Coordinates of all heavy atoms in Angstrom, one line a residue:
E107 N -19.5 11.9 -160.7 CA -18.3 12.5 -161.5 C -17.7 11.3 -162.3 O -17.3 10.3 -161.5 CB -17.4 13.3 -160.8 CG -18.1 14.3 -159.8 CD -18.6 15.6 -160.6 OE1 -18.3 15.8 -161.7 OE2 -19.5 16.2 -159.9
L108 N -17.5 11.3 -163.5 CA -16.9 10.2 -164.3 C -15.5 10.4 -164.8 O -15.2 11.6 -165.1 CB -17.9 9.9 -165.4 CG -19.2 9.7 -165.1 CD1 -20.2 9.3 -166.5 CD2 -19.5 8.5 -164.1
V109 N -14.8 9.4 -164.9 CA -13.4 9.5 -165.4 C -13.4 9.7 -167.0 O -12.3 10.1 -167.5 CB -12.5 8.4 -165.0 CG1 -12.3 8.3 -163.6 CG2 -13.1 7.0 -165.5
E110 N -14.4 9.4 -167.6 CA -14.5 9.5 -169.0 C -16.1 9.8 -169.5 O -16.9 9.5 -168.6 CB -14.0 8.3 -169.8 CG -14.8 7.1 -169.4 CD -14.2 5.8 -170.2 OE1 -14.2 5.8 -171.4 OE2 -13.8 4.9 -169.4
P111 N -16.2 10.3 -170.7 CA -17.6 10.5 -171.0 C -18.4 9.2 -171.1 O -17.9 8.1 -171.2 CB -17.5 11.1 -172.4 CG -16.2 11.6 -172.5 CD -15.4 10.8 -171.6
V112 N -19.8 9.2 -170.9 CA -20.6 8.1 -171.0 C -20.6 7.5 -172.3 O -20.6 8.2 -173.4 CB -22.1 8.5 -170.7 CG1 -23.1 7.4 -171.0 CG2 -22.3 9.0 -169.3
Q113 N -20.4 6.2 -172.4 CA -20.1 5.5 -173.7 C -21.5 4.8 -174.1 O -22.4 4.5 -173.3 CB -19.1 4.4 -173.5 CG -17.8 4.8 -173.1 CD -17.1 5.8 -174.0 OE1 -17.0 5.5 -175.2 NE2 -16.7 6.9 -173.5
E114 N -21.6 4.6 -175.4 CA -22.9 4.0 -175.9 C -23.1 2.6 -175.3 O -22.0 1.7 -175.0 CB -22.7 3.7 -177.4 CG -24.0 3.2 -178.1 CD -25.0 4.2 -178.2 OE1 -24.7 5.5 -178.2 OE2 -26.2 3.9 -178.1
G115 N -24.3 2.3 -174.8 CA -24.7 1.0 -174.2 C -24.4 1.0 -172.7 O -24.7 0.0 -172.0
W116 N -23.8 2.0 -172.0 CA -23.7 2.0 -170.6 C -24.9 2.1 -169.8 O -25.9 2.8 -170.4 CB -22.7 3.3 -170.1 CG -21.3 3.0 -170.3 CD1 -20.7 1.9 -171.0 CD2 -20.2 3.8 -169.8 NE1 -19.3 2.0 -171.0 CE2 -19.0 3.1 -170.2 CE3 -20.2 4.9 -169.1 CZ2 -17.8 3.7 -169.9 CZ3 -19.0 5.5 -168.8 CH2 -17.8 4.9 -169.2
S117 N -25.0 1.5 -168.7 CA -26.2 1.6 -167.8 C -25.9 1.9 -166.4 O -24.6 1.7 -166.0 CB -27.0 0.5 -167.8 OG -26.2 -0.7 -167.5
L118 N -26.7 2.4 -165.6 CA -26.4 3.0 -164.2 C -27.3 1.9 -163.3 O -28.5 1.6 -163.6 CB -26.9 4.4 -164.0 CG -26.9 4.8 -162.6 CD1 -25.3 4.9 -162.2 CD2 -27.5 6.3 -162.6
H119 N -26.6 1.6 -162.2 CA -27.3 0.8 -161.1 C -27.1 1.3 -159.9 O -26.1 2.0 -159.7 CB -26.7 -0.7 -161.2 CG -26.8 -1.5 -162.4 ND1 -27.6 -2.6 -162.5 CD2 -26.2 -1.3 -163.7 CE1 -27.5 -3.1 -163.7 NE2 -26.7 -2.3 -164.4
Y120 N -28.0 1.1 -158.9 CA -27.7 1.4 -157.6 C -28.1 0.2 -156.7 O -29.2 -0.4 -156.9 CB -28.7 2.5 -157.0 CG -28.3 2.9 -155.5 CD1 -27.2 3.5 -155.2 CD2 -29.2 2.3 -154.6 CE1 -27.0 3.7 -153.8 CE2 -29.0 2.7 -153.2 CZ -27.8 3.4 -152.8 OH -27.6 3.6 -151.5
G121 N -27.1 -0.4 -156.0 CA -27.3 -1.6 -155.3 C -27.1 -2.9 -156.0 O -27.6 -3.9 -155.8
W122 N -26.3 -2.8 -157.0 CA -25.9 -4.1 -157.9 C -25.0 -5.0 -157.1 O -24.2 -4.6 -156.4 CB -25.3 -3.6 -159.0 CG -25.0 -4.7 -160.1 CD1 -25.8 -5.4 -160.9 CD2 -23.7 -5.4 -160.2 NE1 -25.2 -6.3 -161.5 CE2 -23.8 -6.5 -161.1 CE3 -22.5 -5.3 -159.5 CZ2 -22.9 -7.2 -161.5 CZ3 -21.4 -6.1 -159.9 CH2 -21.8 -7.1 -160.9
G123 N -25.4 -6.2 -157.2 CA -24.6 -7.4 -156.6 C -25.1 -8.0 -155.4 O -26.3 -7.7 -155.1
F124 N -24.4 -9.0 -154.9 CA -25.0 -9.7 -153.8 C -24.9 -9.1 -152.5 O -25.9 -9.2 -151.6 CB -24.2 -11.0 -153.7 CG -24.4 -12.0 -154.8 CD1 -23.3 -12.2 -155.6 CD2 -25.6 -12.6 -155.0 CE1 -23.6 -13.1 -156.7 CE2 -25.8 -13.4 -156.1 CZ -24.8 -13.5 -157.0
D125 N -24.0 -8.1 -152.2 CA -23.9 -7.4 -150.9 C -23.2 -6.0 -151.1 O -22.2 -5.8 -150.7 CB -23.0 -8.2 -149.9 CG -23.1 -7.7 -148.5 OD1 -24.0 -6.9 -148.1 OD2 -22.1 -8.0 -147.6
P126 N -24.0 -5.1 -151.8 CA -23.4 -3.9 -152.2 C -23.5 -3.0 -150.9 O -24.3 -3.0 -150.1 CB -24.4 -3.4 -153.2 CG -25.7 -4.0 -152.9 CD -25.4 -5.3 -152.4
P127 N -22.4 -2.1 -150.9 CA -22.4 -1.1 -149.8 C -23.2 0.2 -150.1 O -22.7 1.2 -150.5 CB -20.9 -0.7 -149.7 CG -20.4 -0.9 -151.2 CD -21.3 -2.1 -151.7
C128 N -24.4 0.1 -149.9 CA -25.4 1.2 -150.2 C -25.7 2.0 -148.9 O -26.2 1.6 -147.9 CB -26.8 0.7 -150.6 SG -26.6 -0.3 -152.2
T129 N -25.1 3.3 -149.0 CA -25.1 4.1 -147.7 C -26.2 5.3 -147.7 O -26.2 6.0 -146.9 CB -23.8 4.7 -147.4 OG1 -23.3 5.4 -148.5 CG2 -22.8 3.4 -147.1
L130 N -26.6 5.5 -148.9 CA -27.5 6.7 -149.1 C -28.8 6.6 -148.3 O -29.7 5.8 -148.8 CB -27.7 6.8 -150.6 CG -28.2 8.3 -151.1 CD1 -27.3 9.3 -150.7 CD2 -28.3 8.2 -152.6
T131 N -29.1 7.6 -147.5 CA -30.3 7.7 -146.8 C -30.7 9.2 -146.7 O -29.9 10.0 -146.8 CB -30.2 7.1 -145.4 OG1 -29.3 8.0 -144.6 CG2 -29.9 5.7 -145.3
D132 N -32.1 9.4 -146.6 CA -32.4 10.8 -146.4 C -32.2 11.2 -144.9 O -31.7 10.5 -144.1 CB -33.9 11.1 -146.9 CG -34.8 10.3 -146.1 OD1 -34.5 9.8 -145.0 OD2 -36.0 10.3 -146.5
T133 N -32.6 12.6 -144.7 CA -32.4 13.0 -143.2 C -33.3 12.2 -142.2 O -33.0 12.4 -141.0 CB -32.7 14.4 -143.1 OG1 -33.9 14.8 -143.7 CG2 -31.6 15.2 -144.0
Q134 N -34.3 11.5 -142.6 CA -35.1 10.7 -141.7 C -34.6 9.2 -141.7 O -35.2 8.3 -141.2 CB -36.6 10.6 -142.2 CG -37.1 12.2 -142.0 CD -38.5 12.2 -142.5 OE1 -39.1 11.2 -143.0 NE2 -39.2 13.3 -142.1
D135 N -33.4 8.9 -142.2 CA -32.8 7.6 -142.2 C -33.6 6.6 -143.0 O -33.5 5.3 -142.8 CB -32.6 7.0 -140.8 CG -31.7 5.9 -140.7 OD1 -30.7 5.9 -141.6 OD2 -31.9 5.0 -140.0
I136 N -34.2 7.1 -144.1 CA -34.9 6.1 -145.0 C -34.0 5.9 -146.3 O -33.5 7.0 -146.9 CB -36.3 6.7 -145.4 CG1 -37.2 7.1 -144.3 CG2 -36.9 5.8 -146.5 CD1 -37.4 5.8 -143.5

Side-chain angles (χ1 to χ4, degrees):
E107 310 289 344
L108 307 179
V109 296
E110 63 181 299
V112 170
Q113 305 296 311
E114 189 68 34
W116 277 12
S117 61
L118 177 67
H119 298 251
Y120 180 75
W122 179 83
F124 292 112
D125 190 17
C128 298
T129 59
L130 194 56
T131 62
D132 67 8
T133 55
Q134 297 181 346
D135 195 35
I136 307 297

